[in-house]
Amino acid sequence: MSCICNQFSDLKFYPFTALNHKILAHFCRMFEKLKARWKVNTINLILVIATFALGGSLCGYAGRKILLLTGLEKGATWIILYILLVTLLWPLCVLLISIPLGQFKFFKNYIIKIGRKMSGRREKKKTNLLKIAVFASGAGSNAEKIITAGINCEVSLIVCNKPGAGVLNIAANHQIPTLLTDKERFFNGDHFLPELQKHQIDFIVLAGFLWKIPVPLIQAYPKKIINIHPALLPKYGGKGMYGNKVHEAVIAAGEKESGISIHYVDEIYDHGEIIFQAACAVTENDTPETLAKHIHKLEHAHYPAVIADLLQKQNHS
Ligand code: GRF
């Protein structure tokens, strides 16, 4: 769906039509973000939105009816009582509506989450947030999405092996410490570990980092290192398969779809257990560059949400 949306945003027709397409593309992107955040498919998203709308109307209606029974005159007290009533009734009404629409489980969890936030029982205080290191050596667009996504964690370190890489500017803009490493330091037994321990890193996210992760690091962070690959693994992965090379191979093979794979990192390139995949169509007109654009949008839409999900599980384990 996001690929279809991307096509809309690229269209340039007459001003009015172009405006319509822009609005449509904006809504498509919003839908994709909500789907990723709430981890639902398109049908469930529509049902969730319908539940919100119907639940909201029901609690407004019920609030008014209850106040009518009290015989109170409309005025400031009436409005205050109405707001109070609606706030109290809202969870009930939404839960009620969610039953026939098959969304009870979603809303039960949603309301529990809001309740936790309101009662100030945040799962972890800022000082106790999980600390993640992002390893990146390219433009850093994924790193930036992760930093700005509002995930319940602290991006404490950017590890990079390429002086002048765009990701270093992004780190500087967000005042995140960087570690520019060279091969000697990185692959020297477990010598790199203390660098991460110094920053108390709990979790490692690879986002455009081309070096193989040394075994001591994998052993020190079991199931705590993840990578994103710009294709549907297990196809088009492995040594030398990165950037446009992946997209060139996908197009040359005449694939009708490509996508992204988020996976745990093990000792073999692009091989660890797959956590999440999302696909998009490859059309006859696609070039490695246009496909790369579609893939990047998929990555930006999903990588932060998947990381947030994994960190939440870690917090509870
Ligand atoms: C992404 O396409 C990712 O799949 C791959 O490297 C690229 C990094 O892009 N591993 P950016 O530097 O985040 O823009």
Side-chain angles (χ1 to χ4, degrees):
M1 180 163 175
S2 72
C3 284
I4 299 167
C5 297
N6 300 342
Q7 288 164 14
F8 280 122
S9 57
D10 290 341
L11 288 176
K12 283 189 183 60
F13 292 132
Y14 297 109
F16 183 68
T17 325
L19 183 68
N20 284 345
H21 279 95
K22 273 204 171 136
I23 294 170
L24 187 57
H26 176 76
F27 274 108
C28 285
R29 276 197 295 276
M30 218 170 70
F31 258 62
E32 285 304 318
K33 274 190 188 158
L34 284 178
K35 272 165 66 181
R37 176 180 295 179
W38 290 338
K39 295 178 217 73
V40 292
N41 60 27
T42 308
I43 294 174
N44 278 335
L45 180 66
I46 293 168
L47 290 172
V48 163
I49 292 172
T51 310
F52 269 122
L54 292 173
S57 315
L58 179 65
C59 84
Y61 175 79
R64 261 195 312 277
K65 282 277 170 210
I66 293 173
L67 281 180
L68 267 180
L69 291 177
T70 65
L72 256 179
E73 287 281 307
K74 277 201 178 167
T77 326
W78 193 95
I79 292 172
I80 293 168
L81 281 176
Y82 178 73
I83 293 171
L84 275 175
L85 257 177
V86 164
T87 315
L88 289 174
L89 285 174
W90 183 82
L92 209 72
C93 294
V94 164
L95 278 179
L96 211 70
I97 297 286
S98 72
I99 298 170
L101 293 187
Q103 302 303 313
F104 182 74
K105 203 169 154 207
F106 174 91
F107 278 94
K108 190 189 80 188
N109 292 338
Y110 187 83
I111 287 168
I112 291 174
K113 230 177 176 174
I114 294 182
R116 273 203 197 123
K117 272 193 188 162
M118 281 170 66
S119 64
R121 282 194 296 122
R122 302 218 66 180
E123 274 156 27
K124 292 230 166 184
K125 287 196 191 119
K126 174 113 178 95
T127 48
N128 287 335
L129 286 178
L130 286 181
K131 291 180 193 261
I132 71 171
V134 177
F135 286 29
S137 292
S141 65
N142 279 288
E144 182 150 45
K145 289 284 168 193
I146 296 163
I147 295 164
T148 55
I151 302 173
N152 200 19
C153 73
E154 195 184 322
V155 180
S156 309
L157 185 67
I158 301 284
V159 175
C160 178
N161 62 17
K162 217 166 163 194
V167 71
L168 294 172
N169 290 334
I170 291 170
N173 291 343
H174 294 275
Q175 285 109 41
I176 296 173
T178 51
L179 188 58
L180 193 59
T181 185
D182 52 47
K183 276 197 170 150
E184 206 179 308
R185 266 205 297 169
F186 194 69
F187 292 106
N188 189 355
D190 59 3
H191 284 196
F192 194 68
L193 250 184
E195 307 266 19
L196 299 176
Q197 284 160 349
K198 208 163 69 194
H199 291 268
Q200 299 170 319
I201 299 302
D202 300 298
F203 198 87
I204 298 172
V205 171
L206 311 188
F209 190 76
L210 302 184
W211 287 351
K212 205 164 167 186
I213 301 302
V215 174
L217 222 62
I218 294 171
Q219 286 167 348
Y221 287 91
K223 283 221 160 177
K224 286 178 182 168
I225 309 179
I226 62 168
N227 180 41
I228 189 160
H229 185 76
L232 295 171
L233 291 173
K235 281 168 140 187
Y236 308 106
K239 193 169 166 47
M241 282 306 241
Y242 60 87
N244 267 7
K245 292 189 185 174
V246 178
H247 308 312
E248 279 161 12
V250 167
I251 290 171
E255 295 285 358
K256 294 279 170 274
E257 63 172 20
S258 188
I260 59 166
S261 304
I262 298 170
H263 64 94
Y264 288 112
V265 171
D266 67 9
E267 289 85 351
I268 304 167
Y269 269 119
D270 304 324
H271 174 266
E273 186 193 331
I274 291 171
I275 304 162
F276 175 89
Q277 289 187 306
C280 71
V282 180
T283 67
E284 281 175 4
N285 298 331
D286 266 320
T287 61
E289 289 71 27
T290 59
L291 185 54
K293 266 194 192 169
H294 297 327
I295 297 280
H296 252 114
K297 288 194 177 163
L298 272 186
E299 293 181 336
H300 299 164
H302 294 288
Y303 207 13
V306 171
I307 294 167
D309 196 32
L310 289 174
L311 293 181
Q312 202 188 4
K313 284 179 189 147
Q314 298 245 329
N315 257 333
H316 289 299
S317 65

